[in-house]
Amino acid sequence: MLEQAFVKKKVLITGGLGFIGSNLARRLVELGAEVLLVDSLIPAYGGNLFNVHGLEDRLKINIADVRDEYSMEYLVQDQDFLFNLAGQVSHIDSMRDPYTDLEINCRSQLSILEACRKQNPGIYILYAGTRQQYGRALYLPVDEQHPQYPTDINGVNKLAGEWYHIVYHRVHGLRTCSLRLTNTYGPRMLVKHNRQTALGWFIRLAMDDQEIQIWGGGQQLRDYNYVDDVVEAFLLAAANPEATGKIFNLGGRRPVSHLELIESLVSVAGQGSYRLVPWPPERQRIDIGDVYSSYRCIQETLGWEPRVGLREGLERTVAFYRQYREHYW
């Protein structure tokens, strides 16, 4: 299905120089799409021009902020697909600066949808939601019918951003779909600081032969998706009309304890260490305990399932940063 779905199609990716956006861009270029990346390159948010190294003459880049509604009205014109990945993803930052999180994850989402409604109502919009919208799990694995009780500002705003997309589908007829991502990792993720992805920071610490602190007993369970699997899910949703108007969970092949994750990482890196420490109060207040998702719905509808196991994914990721360390540290 994917081999022909994107040939000569015009594809816009917001947050396109970031972690998932750049990996998605690489795959779309391989599939023959005409790719336009939009990114603000705000330093703290993970956009990195090196993420598309080697593709500079095979795609277009526009440095713009999705909060600029006039730019978005121009940029969405004539596009066949919009992968809407731009967002503020730091849970801690959302609590320290809730207004910026609101601007990026709510108001800008409305601006993007309004731009599409006015300038390109035929576009197909794929939105990156998050399992953080669910909050603490009432049952496991979490499915799409699980109540949503976010525990931080980021989760609240991401939930709102997702539902703007669904409302614009139901009321205005825009073609939209949301994928609720779990912990995604792999090459090109931000490792400069620890405010976006804990695993990205742990990879850096291990590769610097530093100590990784594990809060509590390390028994809390999570699931993990290697970025190539996440890219494949977005592409399958974009290529399949059955996904229109739907919400899908992604999820890992199995739940993994925090302790197992760090032990695997240290083993793969061949360096680094870890130590159990008490929970920091500000982190414990927004921690959601055990949570992992059911991907049964997207598996039954689109045939997607995660293919890359945790150890293989960590091996690929560590190898990438060993080769390109200077561009990410």
Side-chain angles (χ1 to χ4, degrees):
M1 177 192 294
L2 297 183
E3 296 308 315
Q4 297 299 320
F6 301 99
V7 174
K8 295 185 178 180
K9 297 295 185 181
K10 294 184 176 181
V11 179
L12 172 63
I13 305 175
T14 63
L17 291 173
F19 167 39
I20 298 175
S22 61
N23 282 284
L24 176 62
R26 288 179 172 276
R27 184 80 172 98
L28 282 163
V29 168
E30 290 176 3
L31 292 169
E34 299 176 17
V35 178
L36 171 61
L37 306 183
V38 174
D39 203 292
S40 63
L41 283 182
I42 296 173
Y45 290 176
N48 187 338
L49 284 167
F50 188 79
N51 282 345
V52 292
H53 175 67
L55 292 183
E56 292 87 349
D57 61 344
R58 300 178 65 188
L59 48 71
K60 296 180 180 179
I61 299 171
N62 190 295
I63 307 303
D65 195 312
V66 292
R67 288 173 285 188
D68 182 350
E69 57 192 280
Y70 301 108
S71 293
M72 293 311 302
E73 285 196 8
Y74 172 75
L75 291 168
V76 301
Q77 294 178 23
D78 301 321
Q79 300 293 322
D80 297 300
F81 298 95
L82 165 57
F83 292 92
N84 191 7
L85 308 182
Q88 199 294 108
V89 301
S90 170
H91 306 298
I92 289 294
D93 285 357
S94 79
M95 302 301 289
R96 293 172 178 165
D97 183 7
Y99 296 113
T100 296
D101 197 274
L102 179 72
E103 282 289 311
I104 295 174
N105 290 329
C106 285
R107 191 183 186 283
S108 69
Q109 303 305 314
L110 280 173
S111 296
I112 290 168
L113 289 163
E114 276 292 284
C116 292
R117 183 179 71 85
K118 295 174 183 176
Q119 302 296 334
N120 188 358
I123 197 171
Y124 188 8
I125 308 166
L126 289 300
Y127 175 76
T130 172
R131 58 96 178 145
Q132 195 76 6
Q133 296 167 210
Y134 293 115
R136 298 180 186 275
L138 302 180
Y139 58 84
L140 292 169
V142 170
D143 59 23
E144 291 84 355
Q145 282 69 52
H146 189 287
Q148 296 182 76
Y149 296 117
T151 60
D152 60 23
I153 296 298
N154 181 261
V156 171
N157 290 333
K158 288 294 290 183
L159 188 159
E162 176 185 86
W163 278 93
Y164 293 147
H165 286 72
I166 300 304
V167 166
Y168 270 66
H169 166 70
R170 294 177 178 173
V171 176
H172 298 302
L174 286 181
R175 294 186 299 153
T176 64
C177 175
S178 177
L179 302 186
R180 290 176 180 164
L181 310 186
T182 188
N183 300 286
T184 306
Y185 71 100
R188 303 177 183 87
M189 64 179 166
L190 179 69
V191 297
K192 288 183 178 180
H193 56 69
N194 65 353
R195 299 199 310 276
Q196 279 197 10
T197 65
L199 182 49
W201 184 245
F202 296 152
I203 288 169
R204 176 175 177 141
L205 290 176
M207 294 183 66
D208 283 346
D209 200 21
Q210 299 294 308
E211 180 184 84
I212 299 169
Q213 295 186 349
I214 300 177
W215 299 328
Q219 297 307 308
Q220 61 267 42
L221 298 174
R222 297 286 189 273
D223 52 355
Y224 297 87
N225 280 145
Y226 186 67
V227 67
D228 288 2
D229 285 332
V230 173
V231 164
E232 206 71 4
F234 273 109
L235 295 177
L236 285 170
N240 194 323
E242 286 189 52
T244 304
K246 301 285 181 55
I247 295 169
F248 296 111
N249 281 348
L250 301 192
R253 296 168 71 176
R254 64 179 179 87
V256 177
S257 75
H258 199 47
L259 184 60
E260 179 188 349
L261 171 71
I262 301 306
E263 287 177 339
S264 297
L265 172 58
V266 170
S267 173
V268 166
Q271 57 194 100
S273 61
Y274 64 86
R275 177 169 58 97
L276 301 179
V277 298
W279 275 93
E282 73 276 8
R283 290 283 188 170
Q284 191 162 29
R285 281 194 293 270
I286 62 173
D287 180 62
I288 56 177
D290 292 348
V291 60
Y292 48 92
S293 299
S294 167
Y295 58 85
R296 180 178 176 181
C297 185
I298 191 171
Q299 184 179 40
E300 292 179 348
T301 306
L302 305 180
W304 179 87
E305 61 182 0
R307 300 187 182 279
V308 180
L310 179 64
R311 188 172 184 92
E312 179 185 353
L314 290 174
E315 287 171 350
R316 294 188 195 180
T317 305
V318 168
F320 174 84
Y321 287 115
R322 282 211 170 106
Q323 183 172 1
Y324 299 113
R325 176 189 183 106
E326 64 184 292
H327 301 285
Y328 293 92
W329 255 236

